[in-house]
Amino acid sequence: MATYEKASPYFTTGKYNNFLDVYQHRKIPKLTDDAQFTITESHKYRPDLLAFDLYQDSRLWWVFAVRNPNIIQDPVFDFIPGVRIFVPKYQTLVSSLGL
């Protein structure tokens, strides 16, 4: 049975035999100190690059979609220049995801 790293979006999703159970979003709190970020052309369709630029960990690409569910339904193709999203601080991710 596979186990997932703490940075994985599947870390808290249960497993049934050798298969993943129904996907469960990981909780990322919405805090007043979250920064607003306007997606740039250099990050177009590349949440992994933004995650690396902000957190030095491209595996956290999914954090933006979970934190901004009303703005980003598709974590790649909704990641387009000009879209403003909320970006949690790294310390928030450390405490809420156990990184």
Side-chain angles (χ1 to χ4, degrees), residues 73-85:
Q73 281 81 43
D74 183 310
V76 174
F77 292 109
D78 287 346
F79 217 77
I80 54 176
V83 172
R84 290 181 59 95
I85 61 173

Side-chain angles (χ1 to χ4, degrees), residues 18-59:
N18 289 329
F19 302 97
L20 279 177
D21 201 349
V22 175
Y23 172 69
Q24 299 293 319
H25 278 301
R26 296 186 68 187
K27 305 288 188 222
I28 298 174
K30 297 178 180 182
L31 302 176
T32 57
D33 66 347
D34 288 347
Q36 276 204 318
F37 181 82
T38 302
I39 298 171
T40 63
E41 188 66 36
S42 63
H43 295 114
K44 180 178 181 179
Y45 305 136
R46 297 298 305 268
D48 59 326
L49 292 181
L50 181 59
F52 185 80
D53 290 347
L54 295 176
Y55 309 126
Q56 286 69 54
D57 191 344
S58 61
R59 297 173 301 168

Side-chain angles (χ1 to χ4, degrees), residues 6-7 26-31 33-34 50-52 54-57 59-64 66-67 86-99:
K6 290 183 179 181
R26 296 186 68 187
K27 305 288 188 222
I28 298 174
K30 297 178 180 182
L31 302 176
D33 66 347
D34 288 347
L50 181 59
F52 185 80
L54 295 176
Y55 309 126
Q56 286 69 54
D57 191 344
R59 297 173 301 168
L60 296 171
W61 60 269
W62 56 273
V63 165
F64 308 118
V66 171
R67 175 58 183 85
F86 287 99
V87 176
K89 291 183 176 182
Y90 183 71
Q91 189 57 38
T92 301
L93 299 180
V94 168
S95 62
S96 63
L97 302 178
L99 300 179

